[in-house]
Amino acid sequence: QHFIALCGGVGGSRLADGLARRLDPDELTLVVNTGDDFDHLGLRICPDLDTVLYMLAGLVSGERGWGREDESWNAHQTLQALGAPSWFQLGDRDIALHLYRNALLASGRNLSQAMARIAAGLGVRHAPAPVTDEATPTTIVTDDGDLSFQDYFVKHRADVHVRGVRYGGQAGTILSAGLEAALARPELAGIIIAPSNPFLSIGPMLATGRLRERIAARNVPVAVVSPYVNGAAVKGPVERLQRDLGLPPGDAGVLRHYGDLVDLFFTDSDRIAAPAGVRVVVGDTLMRDAADRANLASRILAALGAQA
Ligand code: GDP
Ligand code: FO1
Ligand code: CA
């Protein structure tokens, strides 16, 4: 058996960790959004890949949700003193990872190969795969013009009216070798969409290399986990985005966005009008700790008919 999970950062990394506790590396391909990636101070920044990696390594910061728990900020403070751009904070230990990734990329490796190396170095057995090795920067369209993703998310704290989201990944973008290999596996038994932001984390991946159509064509069940807990986002701008983009609030807007891709929908709300062809699975979807993460993964895998 084999499963593919599509993951963004915070929500993605939590479910990725649960699945990694339940499946062998050979049974799971973790596919991660690259729409947030950008260059800063000469370093290639890959927030969602690194969040998943740090989570799987047990190193992620609990309260920030990005970067490492055990961190110091000497380089950042020194950059500030130099008058360098400091709106985006890189911790000292995080910088070490970035230096290594830049060196791997400079030596001719692609992003997948660089991440596999770094995962091995961190002792992570389930190496996350970027959805593509190409640059696919997400652009946020606002009334006052376009914003690059990190300008929108970090500089503006996502506190702007969004007219639309433009994905960097196109029909002709080449999917990563890890994702292609997983899609080609005859034993592929299901695709899991993490409770990541549907517009900012999952949308960019589905738009890349016709992934949405490729998934539909595989004819395996697709399970989606709602990012809504008790009717609200755990964190992040998903509610505001649904309002701005003219979608219904809550689970209804998520279901509308994913459309006929969804076979199974995991939510904690028992008041969902399920569209035809969607099986709604009601239960706790908040992942407070490792036990919650593994339990939710088990419920999803059971519903997809996985062998324990
Ligand atoms: P980002 O890339 O760091 O912004 O994170 P993601 O896109 O992966 O996930 C953000 C979404 O995850 C938010 O909409 C949250 O509501 C959702 N989320 C975070 N933690 C949980 C959780 O424990 N359970 C569920 N169901 N959703 C969560
Ligand atoms: N998010 C912030 O809000 N402020 C930061 O200074 C910041 C630094 C940062 C450094 C490395 C990294 O991998 C992620 C970082 N993030 C930061 C998080 C991140 O850019 C956003 O949360 C995501 O792109 C949205 O998923
Ligand atoms: Ca993200």
Side-chain angles (χ1 to χ4, degrees):
Q1 60 182 359
H2 197 85
F3 297 89
I4 294 172
L6 304 185
C7 310
V10 175
S13 64
R14 289 180 173 183
L15 189 62
D17 179 76
L19 291 166
R21 288 168 189 272
R22 288 292 177 252
L23 296 169
D24 290 336
D26 185 49
E27 298 176 311
L28 176 64
T29 299
L30 294 171
V31 176
V32 181
N33 172 43
T34 53
D36 302 8
D37 299 10
F38 76 123
D39 293 303
H40 182 66
L41 298 171
L43 298 172
R44 189 70 186 152
I45 316 283
C46 309
D48 289 351
L49 277 164
D50 288 356
T51 297
V52 172
L53 199 55
Y54 283 143
M55 169 65 85
L56 294 175
L59 298 172
V60 78
S61 159
E63 87 269 17
R64 259 181 284 122
W66 51 268
R68 298 170 73 129
E69 178 74 59
D70 179 23
E71 192 54 284
S72 58
W73 304 92
N74 294 299
H76 178 70
Q77 282 155 17
T78 308
L79 284 162
Q80 267 183 315
L82 287 168
S86 58
W87 59 276
F88 196 80
Q89 293 180 238
L90 289 170
D92 296 332
R93 288 182 170 83
D94 199 19
I95 287 174
L97 180 147
H98 284 82
L99 291 175
Y100 188 32
R101 177 164 49 218
N102 265 43
L104 290 165
L105 294 172
S107 73
R109 289 171 176 87
N110 64 29
L111 184 59
S112 298
Q113 293 163 337
M115 293 311 297
R117 264 297 176 98
I118 296 167
L122 286 170
V124 170
R125 292 163 64 236
H126 301 75
V131 64
T132 175
D133 295 314
E134 299 178 27
T136 59
T138 297
T139 304
I140 306 298
V141 182
T142 79
D143 295 329
D144 303 319
D146 292 352
L147 289 173
S148 67
F149 183 81
Q150 296 297 338
D151 273 5
Y152 157 75
F153 203 93
V154 176
K155 249 191 210 164
H156 291 268
R157 297 167 191 278
D159 191 16
V160 296
H161 178 86
V162 174
R163 259 210 282 190
V165 182
R166 208 161 59 228
Y167 299 136
Q170 301 294 318
T173 304
I174 296 173
L175 300 175
S176 65
L179 174 52
E180 278 292 357
L183 283 169
R185 288 178 86 128
E187 72 275 31
L188 185 68
I191 293 171
I192 300 153
I193 297 184
S196 291
N197 190 302
F199 314 97
L200 302 180
S201 291
I202 305 295
M205 291 190 274
L206 295 177
T208 297
R210 293 194 190 284
L211 182 58
R212 189 193 163 98
E213 291 78 7
R214 298 283 306 278
I215 288 172
R218 264 314 310 256
N219 259 309
V220 296
V222 175
V224 170
V225 183
S226 172
Y228 284 90
V229 171
N230 290 320
V234 178
K235 66 180 277 188
V238 64
E239 293 163 278
R240 164 110 199 227
L241 279 168
Q242 280 175 225
R243 235 182 297 124
D244 287 2
L245 297 172
L247 286 160
D251 283 343
V254 174
L255 281 163
R256 174 87 64 88
H257 173 72
Y258 288 128
D260 59 11
L261 201 59
V262 189
D263 297 300
L264 293 156
F265 189 71
F266 286 79
T267 176
D268 64 4
S269 167
D270 54 10
R271 291 177 302 180
I272 297 309
V278 177
R279 187 178 136 210
V280 176
V281 186
V282 180
D284 191 6
T285 61
L286 179 61
M287 296 172 277
R288 282 155 289 235
D289 53 23
D292 283 351
R293 300 195 284 269
N295 282 335
L296 180 56
S298 294
R299 286 174 48 223
I300 296 165
L301 291 169
L304 290 171
Q307 255 72 60

